[in-house]
Amino acid sequence: MLNALGLIGLTTLLAPWLGRVLDARAGWLLALAPLYGFVWLLGQMPVIAGGGAVVESIAWIPALDVALSFRLDGLSLLFGLLVTGIGTLIVLYAGSYLSDHHHLGRFYAFLLGFMAAMLGLVLADDLIAMFVFWELTSISSYLLISFQHERAASRRAALQALLITGGGGLALLAGLILLGMAGDAWQFSALSAAAIEGHALYPAIMILVLLGCFTKSAQLPFHLWLSNAMEAPTPVSAYLHSATMVKAGVYLMARLNPVMGGEDGWGSILVVVGAATALVGAVLALRQTDLKRILAYTTVTVLGQLTMLIGTNTTYGLQAFVIYLLAHSLYKGALFMAVGAVDHATGTRELVRLGGLIRFMPLTGAAVALAAFSNAGLPPFFGFIAKEFKYAGLIELGPLGWATTGVMIVTNALLLTAAGLVFIRTFLGRQGAYPRTPHEVSLPMWLGPMLLAIGGFLLGAFNNVAEVWLVDSAVQAVARGAIPVNLYLWGGITPAVVASMITVSLGAFVYLKRQAVRHWLARWRRVWQVSGDLLWDRLLKRIFIIAGQVADRFQHGSLRQHVALLAVVGAVFALLGTALASSHGARLPTASPLSWAAVAGCALAVLGAAGAAMMRERIALVTSLGASGLGVGLFFLAVGAPDVAITQIMVETLTVIFLAMVLNGLPVVQVTGARNSRRRRVHLAVSIGFGLALTLTILIAIGQPLPGDLAAWYLANSLPGGHGANVVNVILVDFRAFDTLGEILVVALAGLAAALLLHRDDNAPAQGKLAHAEFGSVLLRQGLRPLAGLLLLISLVLLWRGHNLPGGGFIGGLVAVCAAVLIALGYGVAQARRMLRVPPSMVAGVGLALAAGAGLFGLADARPFLGSAWLFPGGLPLGTPLMFDVGVFLTVFGAVSHMLFRLMEKEV
């Protein structure tokens, strides 16, 4: 499982490059990744069919007991085969369908990224990991739906889908957290029906989980996003909106049915909502003339029926759910791809302009015929078996089942009518008025529909194979207890067969009278005026109006008032928090011995901050702030934290330089301030109150004992385990190296982003007195070069000795930046760049690569990522932490230098 997921994830990263190099041919290479996953899943079928499960897990957040736990059982096997099998065909199809698109490689990346997220969703056993994959499908589907982002309709549809499914995702997250708390387990396989269904939180869990599932699987009233998502390219519609994403909600309902389906509320809600969704989708499908929208609304109908079947919790109902899920994925994927082929070949999807295409597109027509027959539920196709079992499952419910069967007959009849429109109206009869001369599409575009349609036929004709290897294990995974599974094409004259005969007759009648039915439906104008899209647009408009009104009240443009309000609210909450902590026994820490050096540092920090508050000149203000920072550094040094003190001094030095250059480039403006003495007193009171509240909160926090004795563990293991006497540096580059890797990544991204914002046109002529160097004094410039060399040497010493003495890569990198800045100030940025020889941005990239590469040694030795590896040449400990620290040094130096150099060039 992990190999399949990792391979698809890797191809996601390589797809843009392969798309540029190989164009449409890249699809054949990229399709190998999902094909590998499909073949691997096929190889697990004997284990799953025998009642077993395949489990793989890797630690993710051990402290929270969160792991990337994957479990393959009957249900996840069925979904995994659909995700990878249909995904393979879609990748090939997309290469031909979008062969002339200039962003084909990007499309491949979005598609494969979605595929990896969907596969992770159906395989995940951990609740939180499943939710992460759930949200990744929403994000990747947004990118796919908005792929043609130059069209306003595509952007609107993508945003609508994201907001609806994302909003449901928030509800689902709350529901999953409550589910984990109620079940006292965070894996699906460990949840117990007895613990959950009798819990007081069960109603809240059910509502929140179903809200997330209903939004994802387009149940009424959230169905409107699915039809609008047809603005996406056809490969997206064929994959996301027939076989994968829209079935994610159905999958989760099926997954939780064994532990939540025992209560009447669960089944009643699913049956009622599913039936209403199915009926609305079928009626709306009949009103459409665009083939893709017809298929979209029939998908809404099927999703409603699947939801309804889960709610039955009957023997036939759950069998019908699994059979119909598989049958629908096969025929709907085939029909969507075939409709895309029709659009590609004729230039239109409008029914009124189509007809007689079988003469021009015989292969595509044959695939549509087979898929449409399965869609209509005709024997011997798999869709026929699904329809028979659907009726049998509903009839098992009793009076409610008979009423729901009536709704199912109507919806299935309309599905048969839609199948007739897609095949008979499009491919048979008189030749249509095509925008361009039709032609048969290329192999990748008809191969997928043909294979899927034939699959629906073969599974129906040889249903015993599907029963043994797929359906039985999936049904057992969904059911609350063991269910006997027995698929058949003919079981005699039963009520289900009678209902099926009525369905076919009614569907054929509606097809023959389709114009009259459409005219009759059109008479219900008041009903159709209640448009979900119209309500959605009005809702968004109202939200924006309210947001604007709120913003007008608070975004008044006064920075002083914003800061004052923030300080007051922060102080109030801080005091409330300290009062609550005190009521639970929290006390202030014991005072440490007085250090006059620390007192001097605090005094300098306070005086500098006070001076900054009163200074009017910009440079004086920056100088005062620098003095405050130096006071803080002196305090750290006095209390025995030399590493932090050196870092503080270096950061403060560079900050002063940065602010001085920024403020020097700003236009001169009149200094404004509160002239009213009463207002100034209020500001003073707010400042003092905020400072006292924050100080009290910090004292309360540090006065509480930490759970465990982590500090003692670090002290005891720093030298024997990390081969270093400087505990701080050993923590940064060894024990908590993964945290540090994230921090230097942020540093690199921030530096590169700031440099990009400061970028100027290199062809523009330099203006002003700063064209070459900041300092014109020859004497000063001659003194800067050796000083810069000395700083660079000190930075290397700090880097080398950091594992045992105060120093390290971060501090050394900052000192090296100071050396580079001195050269740039004295001789100009161009001279500094020439002396470096390598662009600072490249230095940062090499540093990140070194830091990340240090973690690979641990993986190669079957240890965690960034686990340290050591050599002892001549007794000298050399290990991957040193390599990691060099990466930190280069990243900090490259990112900060790149930003400061760009700022100096901007000044020019």
Side-chain angles (χ1 to χ4, degrees), residues 622-644:
V622 171
T623 304
S624 186
L625 284 177
S628 179
L630 289 176
V632 174
L634 178 60
F635 171 80
F636 286 139
L637 189 63
V639 297
D643 292 86
V644 182

Side-chain angles (χ1 to χ4, degrees), residues 219-468:
Q219 298 299 292
L220 199 71
F222 308 108
H223 65 287
L224 56 101
W225 73 262
L226 193 150
S227 58
N228 290 329
M230 295 302 109
E231 296 293 338
T234 298
V236 178
S237 304
Y239 191 50
L240 273 69
H241 306 128
S242 63
T244 52
M245 176 183 168
V246 291
K247 288 193 173 74
V250 171
Y251 164 80
L252 186 56
M253 287 186 283
R255 174 61 72 194
L256 293 175
N257 187 64
V259 296
M260 298 188 67
E263 296 289 331
D264 292 337
W266 173 273
S268 300
I269 292 175
L270 295 190
V271 170
V272 172
V273 173
T277 302
L279 183 60
V280 170
V283 173
L284 291 176
L286 196 60
R287 299 187 66 243
Q288 308 304 314
T289 59
D290 184 301
L291 287 176
K292 274 184 70 174
R293 297 188 74 85
I294 291 175
L295 295 179
Y297 281 114
T298 58
T299 299
V300 173
T301 297
V302 173
L303 292 171
Q305 293 181 351
L306 290 172
T307 300
M308 183 168 44
L309 291 171
I310 297 173
T312 63
N313 259 316
T314 61
T315 300
Y316 278 99
L318 295 181
Q319 291 181 76
F321 164 75
V322 174
I323 300 167
Y324 199 26
L325 173 75
L326 179 55
H328 173 259
S329 298
L330 294 176
Y331 74 68
K332 190 56 67 68
L335 290 177
F336 263 118
M337 285 192 277
V339 166
V342 169
D343 188 19
H344 192 273
T346 65
T348 183
R349 300 192 304 261
E350 288 295 326
L351 278 173
V352 295
R353 306 191 66 179
L354 295 172
L357 279 177
I358 196 70
R359 294 187 291 273
F360 303 96
M361 308 175 68
L363 294 174
T364 304
V368 171
L370 294 174
F373 291 158
S374 186
N375 184 12
L378 301 178
F381 291 87
F382 208 47
F384 171 77
I385 301 176
K387 184 176 62 176
E388 299 298 302
F389 275 67
K390 282 190 292 183
Y391 289 137
L394 289 173
I395 291 172
E396 285 183 307
L397 286 177
L400 175 63
W402 282 103
T404 311
T405 301
V407 176
M408 184 73 81
I409 289 174
V410 174
T411 57
N412 282 335
L414 294 179
L415 286 179
L416 188 146
T417 302
L421 291 173
V422 174
F423 174 60
I424 300 175
R425 178 66 181 83
T426 303
F427 283 88
L428 304 182
R430 292 177 300 176
Q431 182 172 323
Y434 318 120
R436 57 174 177 260
T437 303
H439 59 86
E440 185 59 87
V441 292
S442 60
L443 172 66
M445 292 189 68
W446 64 258
L447 179 63
M450 185 66 75
L451 290 178
L452 294 178
I454 292 175
F457 170 77
L458 293 177
L459 288 178
F462 304 97
N463 53 77
N464 59 318
V465 176
E467 173 191 325
V468 172

Side-chain angles (χ1 to χ4, degrees), residues 631-716:
V632 174
L634 178 60
F635 171 80
F636 286 139
L637 189 63
V639 297
D643 292 86
V644 182
I646 298 174
T647 304
Q648 171 69 24
I649 293 173
M650 290 296 100
V651 169
E652 201 62 45
T653 302
L654 294 173
T655 302
V656 169
I657 295 173
F658 177 79
L659 290 177
M661 288 189 294
V662 170
L663 295 177
N664 186 54
L666 294 177
V668 178
V669 295
Q670 182 180 1
V671 179
T672 60
R675 301 181 183 278
N676 187 292
S677 58
R678 178 175 173 273
R679 185 173 298 178
R680 293 172 67 89
R681 287 194 296 270
V682 170
H683 292 166
L684 178 62
V686 169
S687 302
I688 295 175
F690 177 74
L692 291 176
L694 189 60
T695 301
L696 183 61
T697 302
I698 294 174
L699 290 175
I700 289 289
I702 64 177
Q704 308 315 305
L706 294 175
D709 200 354
L710 188 60
W713 187 91
Y714 282 142
L715 289 171

Side-chain angles (χ1 to χ4, degrees), residues 95-136:
S96 181
Y97 187 86
L98 297 171
S99 58
D100 57 346
H101 201 286
H102 57 289
H103 286 316
L104 178 58
R106 180 187 299 176
F107 180 84
Y108 280 139
F110 294 163
L111 183 65
L112 290 165
F114 171 82
M115 190 184 302
M118 189 66 199
L119 187 59
L121 188 155
V122 300
L123 294 177
D125 191 35
D126 185 86
L127 298 179
I128 303 303
M130 190 284 301
F131 176 76
V132 171
F133 287 117
W134 179 285
E135 290 301 287
L136 287 176

Side-chain angles (χ1 to χ4, degrees), residues 460-502:
F462 304 97
N463 53 77
N464 59 318
V465 176
E467 173 191 325
V468 172
W469 296 106
L470 274 179
V471 177
D472 184 45
S473 58
V475 170
Q476 307 311 325
V478 176
R480 295 174 58 81
I483 287 182
V485 176
N486 180 29
L487 271 60
Y488 54 82
L489 275 170
W490 177 251
I493 301 297
T494 62
V497 172
V498 174
S500 181
M501 295 171 63
I502 296 174

